[in-house]
């Protein structure tokens, strides 16, 4: 039974990587999804919501895995408001909004945000680590911490920009209504049920902040979308770090503390 479960788990991870490769390495698929990925994501959110509601009462289902799927659903809804149709009825307005804001902040920088950069950011840096978090569960918790950090820091970023400019920005509504409460509840769940302390939560938040900063600085100064490999490396960094940490723990286990008699 355990071997069958591990086999299904490995197949899920392989299918995730294969799907990401097809989406970014096959020109026909990439070109089609370049302007439709947020609609696909909205359909995915509806499908996942139906699956979760169907098995919500099943006690054998891991609650942490359910939470990771719920994080992905929340982010997919946010992406549609941000890059599909925002709360003011504007379609695909985020690129225009971001270019105007960056242009005011760094005049003369020639900042241009391309649909390819948006597509790679949202499908690789968001979809991929969230799917890996759902796969890893309690065995590999670092991708889950990274996913929670991405969600919460993105919500804080949207709210910070709204206060700074005293106006609505695409994605603000879901950032307030979904990202803040869900992100805080997720980290509270990790504390109570997964023995994750403040250092782990801080690490997840730092990853989210660093990923946002790295992507923004790259697009401002290099003025181009990074390669798909660079995005994938950022997305896979928490899993790689988790694997290395576990291997080191097995190779050099901590010495047992001597008990005082």
């Amino acid at each position: 039974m355990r071997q069958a479960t591990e086999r299904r788990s490995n197949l899920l991870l392989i299918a995730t990587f294969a799907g990401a490769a097809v989406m970014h390495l096959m020109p026909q698929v990439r070109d089609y999804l370049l302007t439709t990925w947020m609609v696909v994501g909205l359909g995915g959110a509806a499908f996942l919501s139906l699956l979760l509601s169907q098995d919500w009462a099943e006690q054998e289902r891991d609650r942490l895995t359910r939470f990771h799927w719920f994080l992905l659903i929340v982010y997919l809804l946010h992406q549609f408001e941000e890059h599909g149709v925002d709360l003011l009825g504007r379609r695909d307005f985020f690129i225009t909004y971001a270019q105007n804001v960056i242009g005011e902040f760094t005049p003369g920088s020639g900042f241009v945000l391309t649909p390819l950069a948006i597509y790679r950011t949202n499908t690789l840096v968001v979809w991929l680590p969230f799917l890996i978090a759902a796969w890893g569960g309690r065995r590999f918790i670092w991708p889950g911490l990274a996913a929670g950090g991405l969600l919460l820091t993105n919500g804080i970023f949207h709210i910070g920009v709204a206060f700074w400019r005293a106006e609505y920005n695409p994605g603000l509504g879901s950032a307030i209504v979904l990202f803040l409460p869900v992100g805080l509840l997720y980290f509270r769940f990790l504390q109570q049920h997964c023995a994750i302390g403040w250092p782990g939560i801080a690490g997840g938040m730092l990853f989210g902040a660093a990923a946002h900063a790295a992507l923004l600085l790259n697009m401002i100064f290099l003025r181009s979308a990074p390669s798909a490999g660079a995005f994938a490396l950022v997305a896979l960094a928490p899993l790689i770090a988790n694997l290395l940490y576990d291997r080191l723990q097995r190779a050099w286990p901590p010495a047992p503390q001597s008990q005082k008699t």
Side-chain angles (χ1 to χ4, degrees):
M1 182 66 180
R2 182 178 178 182
Q3 290 181 346
T5 302
E6 290 181 355
R7 193 178 300 114
R8 286 196 300 268
S9 177
N10 291 336
L11 287 174
L12 175 61
L13 186 63
I14 292 171
T16 299
F17 289 154
V22 169
M23 290 172 63
H24 290 271
L25 300 181
M26 288 189 62
Q28 298 90 341
V29 177
R30 183 193 61 218
D31 294 344
Y32 175 77
L33 291 175
L34 204 58
T35 56
T36 59
W37 64 268
M38 70 290 294
V39 180
V40 174
L42 186 63
F47 177 72
L48 289 174
S49 298
L50 290 174
L51 288 181
L52 285 184
S53 63
Q54 188 175 26
D55 68 2
W56 193 259
E58 295 183 13
Q59 296 299 319
E60 64 270 18
R61 180 73 66 173
D62 182 27
R63 292 174 63 193
L64 179 62
T65 300
R66 272 204 308 242
F67 218 136
H68 287 153
W69 286 120
F70 188 60
L71 291 181
L72 178 58
I73 291 170
V74 166
Y75 219 116
L76 291 172
L77 295 174
H78 168 77
Q79 287 175 329
F80 186 78
E81 181 199 352
E82 189 175 38
H83 301 286
V85 181
D86 67 17
L87 297 183
L88 300 182
R90 299 172 298 192
R91 297 181 59 184
D92 197 18
F93 189 70
F94 180 83
I95 289 180
T96 301
Y97 185 86
Q99 289 184 165
N100 291 339
V101 171
I102 298 299
E104 294 176 8
F105 191 67
T106 57
S109 65
F111 173 73
V112 176
L113 187 57
T114 65
L116 180 60
I118 293 293
Y119 172 65
R120 285 180 175 168
T121 300
N122 284 275
T123 56
L124 284 176
V125 182
V126 176
W127 292 7
L128 188 56
F130 278 66
L131 289 170
I132 292 173
W135 164 81
R138 296 174 186 271
R139 184 183 176 193
F140 300 112
I141 194 64
W142 290 20
L145 290 168
L150 283 169
L151 184 143
L152 200 50
T153 54
N154 188 266
I156 294 171
F157 177 78
H158 276 279
I159 295 169
V161 171
F163 275 111
W164 170 42
R165 295 180 61 84
E167 64 182 11
Y168 168 82
N169 60 74
L172 177 63
S174 51
I176 296 173
V177 175
L178 296 176
F179 275 18
L180 286 189
V182 172
L184 293 174
L185 285 173
Y186 173 70
F187 283 126
R188 182 170 176 264
F189 178 88
L190 292 182
Q191 280 188 305
Q192 294 180 342
H193 301 281
C194 302
I196 299 296
W198 288 110
I201 294 173
M205 293 294 292
L206 285 174
F207 174 82
H212 281 88
L215 292 171
L216 183 61
L217 291 174
N218 181 90
M219 288 184 288
I220 290 176
F221 292 105
L222 297 183
R223 303 177 188 176
S224 63
S227 66
F231 278 102
L233 182 60
V234 173
L236 292 173
L239 176 61
I240 295 171
N242 204 160
L243 290 167
L244 291 176
Y245 177 80
D246 288 353
R247 182 169 293 240
L248 290 174
Q249 287 287 91
R250 289 194 297 269
W252 294 287
Q257 296 181 353
S258 61
Q259 296 181 351
K260 295 182 179 180
T261 59

